[in-house]
């Protein structure tokens, strides 16, 4: 790791916390809030919306990058706890507590403000984070060896591919033979979710954070564990950088090649998507690592990202609750507060898409305020 006084190649002592990780996490959360709160999804720039089905947009990179960063942070955090001789019992209690809190706040976000328990969505972003965190944390608690992580990653992406490609969907047949591969509603993921939580799915017939697709999402988190293990090693900073770049390029190419037979699909979290998005996340990490750790380029431009990055989940929860509030509060009989503000003050700023972007940026700025107040008081909420 480089310092202000030593060349990057001579500084090899790893740190338990890297500003480059916080910066990248902050950028990810800020962009997540941005794309989740377009002034109007139908009129927004295509890159600021998820791909409707097969395909990939920059927005589709947000969630996997967050899981990837979470995996890296876990390696560094567990290393710090080991250095303090924290017992496994204490660490396990903390893991379970965090899992429960993430699920709880996920349900709060889904239900706010009315909490219709009969149709409350069970799946969600925070719930997926909770599942991936629990599995990765238990693995990290048991062993920090690389081989089990690699084996589990391969099993996750190949196993999920087998499930999507070859396992018959009851009542419909075999994918790719009896119906199109990755059909929107006729796929094993959607079929299973409709049987587990009927009337509680985000898209009615399916859910983008469904149970079975937690498997490849865990694969994304495993990539973070592997990247974290690489960064933690006592190696020259330049070697770490080129390792991240090389791994990122390999993953991106592998994902694109696999997508010729198994399309990139964020809503199903396909195995090709795991590789492609994971590779891009790895490259983003390499860029952040180079700028912040090797070049030591820090200052005003990193501050807002650190504010979001050090209270990432809290900022996300605040944004989701605020988004729900402005969407359900009615200004008149036909318009919510969000619709009224966008149509009257933002839609005609140049183009509707530009107005939608300006609205989104303002929304991010508003969410920044409570995160900034917490950061200023040195309050870091670890859900």
């Amino acid at each position: 790791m480089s310092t202000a006084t030593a060349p990057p190649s001579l500084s090899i002592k790893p740190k338990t916390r890297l500003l480059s990780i916080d910066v990248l996490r902050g950028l990810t959360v800020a962009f997540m809030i941005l794309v989740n709160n377009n002034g109007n999804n139908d009129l927004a720039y295509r890159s600021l919306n998820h791909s409707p089905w097969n395909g990939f947009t920059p927005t589709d990179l947000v969630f996997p990058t967050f899981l990837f960063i979470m995996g890296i942070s876990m390696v560094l955090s567990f290393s710090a706890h080991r250095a303090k001789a924290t017992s496994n019992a204490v660490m396990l209690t903390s893991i379970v507590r965090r899992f429960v809190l993430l699920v709880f706040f996920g349900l709060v976000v889904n239900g706010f403000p009315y909490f219709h328990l009969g149709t409350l969505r069970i799946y969600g972003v925070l719930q997926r984070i909770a599942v991936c965190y629990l599995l990765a944390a238990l693995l990290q608690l048991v062993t920090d060896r690389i081989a089990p992580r690699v084996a589990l990653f391969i099993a996750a992406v190949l196993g999920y591919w087998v499930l999507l490609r070859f396992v018959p969907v009851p009542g419909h047949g075999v994918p790719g033979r009896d119906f199109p591969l990755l059909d929107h509603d006729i796929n094993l993921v959607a079929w299973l979710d409709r049987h587990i939580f009927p009337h509680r799915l985000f898209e009615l017939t399916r859910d983008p954070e469904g149970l079975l697709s937690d498997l490849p999402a865990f694969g994304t988190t495993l990539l973070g564990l592997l990247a974290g293990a690489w960064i933690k090693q006592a190696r020259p900073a330049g070697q770490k950088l080129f390792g991240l770049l090389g791994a990122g390029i390999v993953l991106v190419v592998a994902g694109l090649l696999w997508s010729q037979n198994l399309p990139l699909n964020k809503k199903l979290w396909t195995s090709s998507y795991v590789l492609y998005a994971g590779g891009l996340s790895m490259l983003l990490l390499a860029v952040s690592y180079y700028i912040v750790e090797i070049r030591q380029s820090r200052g005003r431009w990193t501050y807002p990202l650190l504010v979001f990055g050090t209270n990432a989940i809290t900022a996300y929860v605040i944004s989701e609750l605020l988004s729900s509030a402005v969407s359900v509060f009615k200004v008149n009989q036909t318009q919510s507060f969000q619709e009224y503000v966008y149509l009257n003050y933002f839609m005609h700023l140049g183009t509707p898409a530009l107005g939608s972007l300006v609205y989104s940026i303002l929304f991010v700025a508003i969410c920044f305020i409570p995160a900034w107040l917490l950061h200023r008081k040195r309050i870091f909420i670890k859900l």
Side-chain angles (χ1 to χ4, degrees), residues 59-257:
T59 300
D60 295 322
L61 183 59
V62 174
F63 198 0
T65 300
F66 189 90
L67 292 180
F68 174 76
I69 297 169
M70 181 176 72
I72 300 171
S73 300
M74 288 171 59
V75 173
L76 302 179
S77 175
F78 272 68
S79 178
H81 282 295
R82 294 297 189 199
K84 297 175 183 177
T86 305
S87 69
N88 282 351
V90 171
M91 294 172 70
L92 180 60
T93 300
S94 176
I95 290 169
V96 173
R97 172 184 171 275
R98 183 168 294 185
F99 169 78
V100 172
L101 284 174
L102 284 168
V103 172
F104 171 75
F105 280 103
L107 295 175
V108 169
V109 165
N110 287 352
F112 183 82
Y114 298 123
F115 297 98
H116 297 304
L117 299 183
T119 56
L120 178 66
R121 182 189 177 205
I122 305 301
Y123 298 132
V125 170
L126 291 178
Q127 291 88 325
R128 170 154 291 177
I129 292 174
V131 171
C132 291
Y133 169 77
L134 178 66
L135 295 175
L138 291 177
L139 174 62
Q140 187 71 18
L141 189 65
V142 172
T143 178
D144 58 0
R145 294 175 58 232
I146 299 299
R149 302 177 192 183
V150 174
L152 284 173
F153 173 76
I154 294 173
V157 294
L158 289 182
Y160 188 61
W161 168 67
V162 170
L163 291 174
L164 287 182
R165 179 64 183 84
F166 299 106
V167 175
V169 178
H172 299 282
V174 178
R177 187 191 71 186
D178 303 313
F179 58 89
L181 179 64
L182 304 189
D183 182 88
H184 188 275
D185 292 319
I186 307 175
N187 60 75
L188 194 62
V189 180
W191 177 86
L192 182 63
D193 289 336
R194 288 196 295 269
H195 282 74
I196 297 176
F197 293 122
H199 315 301
R200 296 177 182 273
L201 304 179
F202 185 72
E203 296 181 2
L204 302 180
T205 59
R206 58 172 314 281
D207 198 292
E209 278 78 48
L211 178 64
L212 196 58
S213 55
D214 280 337
L215 178 61
F218 174 53
T220 299
T221 312
L222 286 169
L223 282 177
L225 292 182
L226 291 169
W230 173 256
I231 290 176
K232 189 170 72 71
Q233 292 183 11
R235 296 175 179 270
Q239 190 176 106
K240 294 181 184 180
L241 174 65
F242 284 110
L244 294 173
L245 289 172
I249 292 172
V250 169
L251 287 169
V252 166
V253 172
L256 288 175
L257 291 175

